[in-house]
Amino acid sequence: MTSTETKNAAKLKGAGTSKFMLLNRVAIIIACAATFYPGLNPGRVTSEISRYTSLLTASISYDSLVGNISRALKKGWVSESTFQLLMAASIILLVGVILCAVGGCMSAGNNRMRYVGIRFPLAGSVVMAGGLSGIYVCYTQIVAANTSKVPANFPTGFIVFAVLAAVILLTSLVEMKRIGTLKNQLEPKMEMQEKYHLFLLFLPILALAFVFSYLPLWGWRYAFFDYTAGSELTMDNFVGFKWFTYLFQNSATRSDILRVIKNTLALSGIGIVTSWLPMIFAIFLTQINSKGFRRVVQTCTTVPNFLGWVIVYAVALAIFSTDGFINSFLNNILGIASNTNYLMDSSHMWLKMWLWGTWKGLGWSSIIYISSITGIDPVLYEAATMDGAGRFAKIWNVTIPQLMPTFFVLLLMSIANVLSNGLDQYLVFSNASNMSSVEVLDLYVYNLGIGNGQIPLSTVVGMFKSVISVTLLFGANKVSKALRGESII
């Protein structure tokens, strides 16, 4: 590295991360997370507001905010302007949190980016204070209304956000003063180290994964309570491992579990055995010389992936129902009397479900192989041509070996997800005739919890499914490392 590159790298490191900046970042992260957590909603100024309403929900949905007090508003027990102000104050508070988050991201840059970025949490904390002030005004108005129909409630989240705003404000002031001493040493333009840049690009995906994949794990607590829909979780209905033992002690439940697991493993097994189809389809697709025809085929096979399973079932209904295309063709064209409802037929359901899934996902699944094929070094094909290899010889000796790493990674991932068949397809195609053959584990959990109201038991089944899936994933990773020398996670 040259001396110039060394100086630029040193400049890009910035002024260093002080303890105040670390505290500032921690406060910003907590504030961002708290906007999604209903228990820390600073706008729940009355207990009549749903305890499931978070700051984010209160900021974007007025109906969710006043859903439980619509009668009180109509009767005039409390002024509607109070809740309009509450929503406006919640929006202001959310904007303040967003400004703080922007500043927190910019703090990962060089001196100039930090110098500019520190103003965002400074302004954001002030905006947060304004939003909190509006919420407090709403609280005082509800207290002044003095009605038992809409009792006032001073939310814990108000104190939490007030403390976070104060911490962000003070640490931002200290950090601004510290960076201000380096004003003469600021770089010509704002830059950020590549590792932080890439992390910030990945941050939205990380946040979505946390909200939709990890945060719902909090719902596992229902497995330890004798819970019914609409009730609360208290020590009065805490039952410990009752539902875990019930799952294995009850003969009917054991029978259902064995049947469902058989369906799940069979359908997943068929998918695993035929997992080579997208690779072969991609290979033959790339061998089509006509670009126009190739695009038509690829488009026609990819579009079904974007159709919901409800639409797919509507297509199946139009073709295979009693008055569908097949029966109409037999009756009107061939003169054969037929009124068979093929969708109610329970025979060969595993094969039928696999065929529908293959029709819907084959084109989409082949895209990753097509991209891998385009990345193969053309020199390999040129060398094979010089050795006298024909088209199929090139496919067998060049294309397929080059695709094997991708194939094995996807195969091992499929093995790890052997218990996760999904829900939508089997839900729309299931009926009284084929339920015993088409009910997989995900559908069983849905029917048990939503259909029969046995939420604790369905939670237990879902927990076992998740634990086994994670175990299979790590097992598949060990197999991959042993056979290929590479990990998939």
Side-chain angles (χ1 to χ4, degrees):
M1 183 180 291
T2 64
S3 59
T4 303
E5 291 174 337
T6 304
K7 289 179 181 179
N8 291 335
K11 285 182 178 180
L12 192 57
K13 279 188 174 182
T17 304
S18 66
K19 294 180 180 179
F20 291 102
M21 178 53 71
L22 289 175
L23 183 59
N24 184 276
R25 290 174 180 173
V26 170
I28 290 173
I29 292 173
I30 295 175
C32 291
T35 60
F36 297 95
Y37 184 60
L40 294 178
N41 180 11
R44 193 167 182 256
V45 293
T46 172
S47 56
E48 291 301 308
I49 295 178
S50 174
R51 59 191 179 92
Y52 301 109
T53 302
S54 64
L55 173 63
L56 179 64
T57 305
S59 302
I60 62 178
S61 175
Y62 184 72
D63 291 337
S64 299
L65 185 62
V66 300
N68 293 345
I69 55 175
S70 56
R71 183 168 179 267
L73 293 174
K74 291 179 181 178
K75 294 290 186 179
W77 295 332
V78 66
S79 174
E80 186 168 4
S81 61
T82 298
F83 290 91
Q84 292 173 346
L85 175 61
L86 180 60
M87 182 176 183
S90 299
I91 294 174
I92 293 172
L93 180 56
L94 182 63
V95 170
V97 173
I98 294 174
L99 289 173
C100 292
V102 172
C105 294
M106 295 181 70
S107 67
N110 59 5
N111 293 335
R112 179 170 289 279
M113 181 171 284
R114 291 184 182 185
Y115 183 74
V116 175
I118 197 62
R119 302 177 187 182
F120 283 91
L122 186 63
S125 60
V126 175
V127 174
M128 287 175 65
L132 291 171
S133 300
I135 291 174
Y136 184 76
V137 170
C138 296
Y139 170 75
T140 58
Q141 290 179 358
I142 293 178
V143 171
N146 193 24
T147 173
S148 60
K149 303 294 183 180
V150 186
N153 171 66
F154 191 78
T156 305
F158 185 93
I159 300 174
V160 172
F161 273 90
V163 172
L164 290 173
V167 171
I168 294 172
L169 176 63
L170 293 175
T171 53
S172 298
L173 288 172
V174 173
E175 191 65 16
M176 175 172 282
K177 182 178 179 181
R178 188 180 75 89
I179 299 179
T181 60
L182 304 172
K183 191 172 182 179
N184 296 329
Q185 305 174 22
L186 297 180
E187 296 82 358
K189 60 180 182 178
M190 295 188 294
E191 294 183 28
M192 184 179 292
Q193 293 186 54
E194 186 177 2
K195 60 180 181 180
Y196 294 125
H197 191 197
L198 295 176
F199 173 76
L200 292 177
L201 289 175
F202 179 68
L203 190 59
I205 305 301
L206 192 65
L208 289 174
F210 172 78
V211 171
F212 292 103
S213 299
Y214 291 97
L215 197 58
L217 294 180
W218 178 242
W220 279 9
R221 68 191 191 278
Y222 290 100
F224 304 97
F225 292 83
D226 194 2
Y227 176 79
T228 55
S231 62
E232 294 185 358
L233 301 183
T234 64
M235 291 307 297
D236 294 334
N237 56 11
F238 179 77
V239 293
F241 291 94
K242 168 189 172 181
W243 296 109
F244 291 84
T245 56
Y246 177 85
L247 181 65
F248 298 102
Q249 290 178 352
N250 185 279
S251 59
T253 305
R254 284 202 309 270
S255 176
D256 286 340
I257 288 292
L258 291 175
R259 173 181 58 82
V260 167
I261 288 180
K262 181 183 72 172
N263 293 336
T264 303
L265 294 178
L267 288 163
S268 295
I270 295 174
I272 291 172
V273 170
T274 58
S275 59
W276 49 271
L277 284 176
M279 180 177 68
I280 299 301
F281 179 75
I283 291 173
F284 285 128
L285 191 63
T286 56
Q287 295 299 313
I288 299 176
N289 293 325
S290 173
K291 291 184 178 180
F293 181 68
R294 182 167 67 240
R295 289 174 181 171
V296 170
V297 172
Q298 188 172 3
T299 300
C300 292
T301 54
T302 303
V303 166
N305 178 75
F306 299 98
L307 300 178
W309 278 109
V310 175
I311 304 300
V312 174
Y313 182 76
V315 173
L317 192 66
I319 298 174
F320 298 106
S321 63
T322 304
D323 55 351
F325 172 77
I326 292 180
N327 286 313
S328 298
F329 180 80
L330 292 175
N331 292 328
N332 301 328
I333 305 300
L334 301 182
I336 300 175
S338 175
N339 61 349
T340 305
N341 191 336
Y342 298 97
L343 294 178
M344 294 294 291
D345 186 6
S346 60
S347 61
H348 310 296
M349 282 307 300
W350 294 347
L351 180 60
K352 292 176 184 177
M353 291 297 98
W354 171 76
L355 287 173
W356 281 111
T358 301
W359 171 77
K360 188 174 186 294
L362 181 64
W364 178 259
S365 300
S366 67
I367 289 177
I368 189 171
Y369 291 107
I370 293 174
S371 63
S372 298
I373 291 173
T374 57
I376 297 176
D377 192 348
V379 174
L380 297 176
Y381 291 107
E382 293 174 1
T385 301
M386 293 180 65
D387 290 338
R391 175 176 293 187
F392 288 99
K394 291 177 186 178
I395 292 174
W396 183 257
N397 294 288
V398 178
T399 306
I400 292 180
Q402 291 295 314
L403 293 180
M404 280 296 104
T406 302
F407 172 74
F408 277 113
V409 169
L410 296 178
L411 176 63
L412 292 174
M413 292 294 288
S414 298
I415 295 174
N417 292 316
V418 69
L419 295 180
S420 300
N421 301 93
L423 168 68
D424 300 353
Q425 176 184 3
Y426 307 99
L427 178 62
V428 298
F429 277 94
S430 63
N431 53 57
S433 299
N434 61 25
M435 180 61 77
S436 61
S437 300
V438 81
E439 189 174 30
V440 294
L441 197 55
D442 290 324
L443 180 57
Y444 177 71
V445 171
Y446 173 83
N447 289 334
L448 198 63
I450 305 301
N452 299 333
Q454 297 180 320
I455 296 176
L457 189 58
S458 66
T459 305
V460 171
V461 177
M463 288 175 64
F464 277 114
K465 170 183 171 294
S466 299
V467 171
I468 293 173
S469 297
V470 171
T471 303
L472 289 174
L473 176 61
F474 282 98
N477 185 59
K478 286 184 177 291
V479 172
S480 174
K481 195 170 184 179
L483 296 180
R484 301 173 55 247
E486 297 179 4
S487 297
I488 58 177
I489 57 174

